[in-house]
DNA sequence: AATTTCATCAACCGCAGTTTT
DNA sequence: AAAAACTGCGGTTGATGAAAT
């Protein structure tokens, strides 16, 4: 720590000729209306000024600090300094094991919502938590370990089914969290592209096992950095990835790990994130399993070894395809990919987690589900809190997606692989003649032996989730879905959309998925 | 002993949402 | 209603010290 050590005068006066102000390389300056504002580490003198100011004027109005206190800092800097270092009751020092546990649990629920997580950890700042988490990610990705301990996955999974109080340690149950107004659903879409280069295996275990313990995490996207690092790790070690996959993590990776890390090794398997490192140095991460001929592994575009430059930075919603003109084969996997970073359809609790997981459709469905669930409880609040704002998938993303979706409906569009055309192409028949959708789906062979077959030529299926699961057997609820989607996309659009989507989406929700089927039914050659 | 790597932390930046003018 | 100002958040960067080589 350098704060308060360098270049401060003991009398508390700011020294304008100090290296702090002169060394712009290190400390910088910013201009604010002709006033040069200081940047870089705070001195204790500055701290004192700020503390004094807050004592007199209270928190807030941070831009006034500079005007009234003579502190040459911008308001943002003042706020940050106060919040992270000067405000009372701040805890300093390492996180306790209990705090760490809470952070992990919270992150599993919330994702990178540091400020919210901080609210659950008195005396801790979002910055601290963020730093801790990032460090943790690095550490674990280097070791090829999952981010979340198995117990947590299991616990969450069980809670999802039992509707038991959440793992927050109390203040909010899982459902409360998911449904409360202030719960903001995880933002998977941001990261859904990251993993393009690191396509996970389709786990060989049933959905109720692996998937729900890993992919089923609302925050699965947080796993992405680890996956990125995982290959790196293997490469650095010059060890085949299969050492950790095929036999899968029977042995702990050769790292001297903290105990919690070690005990989480076993989770690596249960996460189902198993890869084979391509021994031929074609640098693909190949799924370990009976069928390695996964199309989006072999089309180059998704080659694991060469992460698309910028892929990790892409902040497109999962359904906002780039207009690359590369055709359907490029985009289908994206959808596919996004799907696998979404909560697992068949295993999701009835409380249906967030829309954040896989983009537009799930956002829509989430909304629909909200409508459906609340039946008599629906209020504008749901809509506004779920859809309207910012860091939620809903808001801008949804709008954007809607726009794109509309634009892509044209089957003649260059983006013929887009949602719209895909829906048109791939949607199973909607129920008619009085049969329920579920019956229809079974009749039409969409559900085979209680297993959901998956056809990756069907991006609509890819996009699906379980959120309409309940709706499928209820025409009343179905109308909620339709209505909700209609209301979100506009009536005309919504009607068309929901009618077609509903059926295919439900395909995913009606039974637990046996993922063994995936490679078998998802061949590149199957794609149109 | 020198160098490299890693872990930690503080702070900045850009963006987005909200409030005020 | 629009613009500006303010506020908060999350991502990222850079400095530093410790550990490893």
């Amino acid at each position: 720590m350098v704060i308060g050590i360098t270049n401060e005068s003991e009398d508390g006066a700011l020294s304008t000729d100090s290296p702090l102000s002169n060394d712009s390389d290190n400390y910088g300056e910013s201009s604010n209306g002709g006033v040069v504002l200081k940047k870089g580490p705070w001195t204790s003198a500055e701290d004192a000024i700020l503390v004094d100011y807050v004592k007199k004027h209270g928190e807030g109005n941070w831009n006034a600090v500079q005007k009234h206190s003579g502190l040459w800092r911008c308001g943002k800097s003042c706020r940050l300094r106060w919040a992270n270092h000067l405000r009372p009751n701040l805890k300093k020092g390492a996180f306790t094991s209990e705090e760490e546990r809470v952070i992990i649990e919270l992150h599993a629920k919330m994702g990178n919502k540091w400020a919210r997580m901080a609210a659950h950890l008195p005396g801790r700042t979002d910055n601290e938590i963020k730093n801790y988490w990032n460090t943790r990610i690095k550490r674990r990705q280097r070791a090829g370990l999952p981010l979340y301990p198995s117990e947590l996955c299991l616990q969450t999974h069980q809670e999802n089914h039992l509707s038991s109080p959440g793992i927050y340690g109390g203040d909010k149950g899982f459902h409360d969290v998911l449904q409360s107004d202030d719960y903001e659903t995880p933002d998977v879409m941001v990261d859904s592209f990251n993993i393009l280069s690191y396509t996970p295996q389709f786990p060989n275990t049933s959905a109720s096992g692996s998937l729900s313990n890993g992919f089923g995490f609302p925050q699965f996207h947080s796993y992405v950095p680890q996956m990125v690092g995982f290959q790196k790790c293997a490469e650095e070690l010059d060890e085949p990835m299969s050492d950790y996959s095929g036999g899968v993590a029977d042995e702990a990776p050769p790292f001297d790990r903290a105990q919690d890390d070690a005990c989480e090794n076993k989770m690596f398997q249960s996460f189902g994130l198993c890869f084979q490192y391509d021994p031929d140095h074609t640098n693909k991460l190949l799924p370990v399993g009976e069928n390695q001929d996964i199309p989006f592994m072999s089309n180059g575009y998704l080659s694991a070894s060469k992460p698309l430059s910028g892929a990790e930075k892409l902040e497109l919603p999962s359904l906002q395809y780039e207009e690359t003109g590369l055709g359907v084969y490029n985009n289908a996997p994206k959808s596919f990919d996004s799907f696998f970073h979404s909560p697992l359809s068949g295993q999701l609790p009835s409380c249906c987690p967030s829309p954040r997981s896989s983009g537009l459709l799930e956002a829509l469905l989430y909304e629909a589900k909200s409508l459906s669930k609340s039946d008599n409880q629906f209020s504008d609040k749901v809509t506004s809190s779920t859809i309207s704002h910012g860091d939620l998938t809903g808001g801008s993303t949804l709008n954007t997606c809607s726009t794109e979706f509309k634009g892509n409906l044209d089957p003649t569009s260059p983006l013929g692989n887009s949602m719209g055309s895909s829906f048109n192409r791939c949607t199973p028949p909607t129920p008619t003649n009085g049969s329920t959708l579920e019956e229809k789906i079974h009749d039409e062979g969409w559900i085979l032996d209680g297993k959901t077959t998956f056809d990756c030529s069907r991006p609509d299926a890819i996009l699906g989730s379980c959120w309409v699961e309940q709706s499928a057997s209820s025409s009343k609820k179905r109308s909620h879905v339709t209505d909700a989607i209609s209301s979100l996309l506009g009536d005309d659009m919504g009607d068309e959309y929901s009618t077609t989507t509903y059926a295919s989406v439900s395909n995913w929700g009606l039974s637990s998925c046996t993922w063994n089927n995936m490679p078998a039914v998802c061949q590149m050659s199957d794609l149109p």
Side-chain angles (χ1 to χ4, degrees):
Chain A
M1 268 300 303
V2 292
I3 297 294
I5 295 175
T6 45
N7 304 305
E8 61 176 298
S9 57
E10 289 303 319
D11 61 6
L14 290 176
S15 171
T16 55
D17 59 353
S18 73
L20 281 177
S21 11
N22 292 336
D23 188 347
S24 59
D25 285 343
N26 292 327
Y27 303 106
E29 292 176 345
S30 67
S31 163
N32 179 21
V35 179
V36 177
L37 299 176
K38 226 178 113 185
K39 295 164 82 174
W42 281 64
T43 67
S44 58
E46 289 174 305
D47 284 347
I49 293 172
L50 183 56
V51 168
D52 187 55
Y53 178 88
V54 173
K55 277 180 185 172
K56 288 177 183 169
H57 301 93
E59 296 182 44
N61 203 9
W62 296 109
N63 281 331
V65 177
Q66 181 251 318
K67 295 171 187 167
H68 298 145
S69 70
L71 198 54
W72 295 359
R73 296 277 183 173
C74 70
K76 286 175 80 169
S77 184
C78 292
R79 186 189 72 83
L80 199 67
R81 183 66 184 172
W82 174 259
N84 287 347
H85 300 281
L86 302 178
R87 67 182 164 92
N89 304 321
L90 274 179
K91 260 187 209 170
K92 291 293 182 182
F95 286 103
T96 66
S97 56
E98 173 63 15
E99 285 174 323
E100 290 178 356
R101 184 187 66 81
V102 171
I103 290 171
I104 294 167
E105 290 175 357
L106 289 172
H107 193 274
K109 302 280 188 192
M110 298 177 176
N112 297 358
K113 298 298 175 188
W114 313 119
R116 284 182 189 202
M117 293 166 73
H120 290 268
L121 293 162
R124 298 298 187 176
T125 68
D126 53 354
N127 212 30
E128 277 182 293
I129 296 170
K130 181 168 59 181
N131 284 335
Y132 166 78
W133 188 260
N134 289 337
T135 299
R136 176 186 164 84
I137 284 178
K138 276 186 193 172
R139 197 174 68 218
R140 297 184 70 81
Q141 81 180 49
R142 189 173 296 122
L145 294 170
L147 288 182
Y148 301 110
S150 53
E151 312 85 68
L152 177 58
C153 301
L154 183 62
Q155 188 179 0
T156 301
H157 176 57
Q158 288 170 343
E159 285 167 6
N160 291 355
H161 284 278
L162 298 175
S163 303
S164 60
I167 56 178
Y168 268 104
D171 65 313
K172 280 196 173 186
F174 184 71
H175 290 190
D176 291 334
V177 170
L178 289 173
Q179 296 173 356
S180 68
D181 291 337
D182 67 345
Y183 174 66
E184 299 216 353
T185 52
D187 195 349
V188 166
M189 61 177 54
V190 168
D191 285 319
S192 63
F193 282 90
N194 289 4
I195 205 162
L196 284 173
S197 309
Y198 305 92
T199 311
Q201 174 203 12
F202 306 131
N204 289 325
T205 50
S206 71
S208 60
S210 304
L211 289 163
S212 56
N213 281 346
F215 289 95
F217 255 83
Q219 280 318 304
F220 176 68
H221 72 292
S222 298
Y223 202 88
V224 171
Q226 181 195 347
M227 300 318 300
V228 172
F230 186 81
Q231 183 191 13
K232 181 170 178 283
C233 170
E235 287 172 338
E236 287 171 352
L237 291 171
D238 197 25
E239 292 178 3
M241 298 290 276
S242 55
D243 283 1
Y244 307 120
S245 53
V248 195
D250 286 331
E251 301 173 28
F255 295 93
D256 184 15
R257 310 287 321 147
Q259 187 177 2
D260 69 322
D261 291 347
C263 76
E264 291 168 19
N265 287 345
K266 61 187 177 212
M267 247 316 288
F268 190 69
Q269 180 175 14
S270 62
F271 263 89
L273 298 171
C274 309
F275 300 86
Q276 268 183 347
Y277 185 65
D278 180 10
D280 297 336
H281 306 291
T282 52
N283 291 324
K284 297 169 187 169
L285 289 180
L286 301 175
V288 179
E290 64 269 36
N291 188 345
Q292 296 183 358
D293 188 22
I294 309 301
F296 44 86
M297 296 292 198
S298 55
N299 67 357
Y301 186 69
L302 295 174
S303 169
S305 64
K306 293 189 176 178
L308 299 170
S309 66
E312 293 175 24
K313 292 282 190 180
L314 280 178
E315 293 191 352
L316 296 173
S318 55
L319 295 176
Q320 287 185 293
Y321 305 144
E322 293 174 275
E323 298 192 8
T324 59
L326 293 176
V328 66
Y329 300 117
N330 287 334
N331 285 341
K334 286 185 181 179
S335 302
F336 204 93
D337 205 28
S338 297
F339 173 80
F340 280 103
H341 292 85
S342 65
L344 177 65
S345 307
Q347 294 302 314
L348 287 173
S350 59
C351 67
C352 73
S354 69
R356 200 170 275 206
S357 311
S358 59
L360 168 65
L361 180 55
E362 289 179 357
L364 291 169
L365 293 172
Y366 176 74
E367 179 66 9
K369 180 90 177 199
S370 298
L371 290 167
S372 177
K373 266 188 74 73
S374 54
D375 216 329
N376 298 319
Q377 303 167 8
F378 179 74
S379 70
D380 292 343
K381 218 174 177 183
V382 175
T383 303
S384 61
S385 64
T386 308
I387 297 296
S388 305
H389 296 302
D391 50 349
L392 183 56
T393 302
S396 60
T397 301
L398 180 58
N399 294 338
T400 314
C401 287
S402 301
T403 302
E404 290 220 1
F405 179 58
K406 290 179 181 179
N408 291 340
L409 276 174
D410 179 4
T412 64
S413 161
L415 299 173
N417 52 329
S418 63
M419 285 174 59
S421 56
S422 297
F423 283 137
N424 294 337
R425 208 170 42 234
C426 306
T427 303
T430 52
T432 54
N433 301 329
S435 62
T436 67
L437 175 64
E438 189 167 355
E439 291 165 350
K440 192 73 180 177
I441 290 173
H442 276 281
D443 291 343
E444 298 289 336
W446 285 85
I447 305 296
L448 302 176
D449 300 328
K451 298 174 182 178
T452 302
T453 57
F454 182 91
D455 179 352
C456 77
S457 69
R458 301 177 48 84
D460 47 349
I462 291 167
L463 294 165
S465 83
C466 71
W467 294 332
V468 239
E469 177 176 356
Q470 293 176 335
S471 304
S473 57
S474 163
S475 59
K476 181 181 178 185
K477 287 181 177 177
R478 186 204 182 284
S479 69
H480 282 302
V481 175
T482 305
D483 292 346
I485 295 174
S486 296
S487 68
L488 288 165
L489 293 182
D491 285 346
D492 295 341
M493 184 65 201
D495 286 343
E496 177 184 352
Y497 172 80
S498 58
T499 300
T500 54
T501 340
Y502 173 75
S504 56
V505 163
S506 298
N507 182 33
W508 275 103
L510 292 171
S511 67
S512 61
C513 308
T514 298
W515 294 78
N516 295 8
N517 291 342
M518 298 289 285
V521 296
C522 185
Q523 299 290 328
M524 197 59 172
S525 57
D526 292 338
L527 290 170

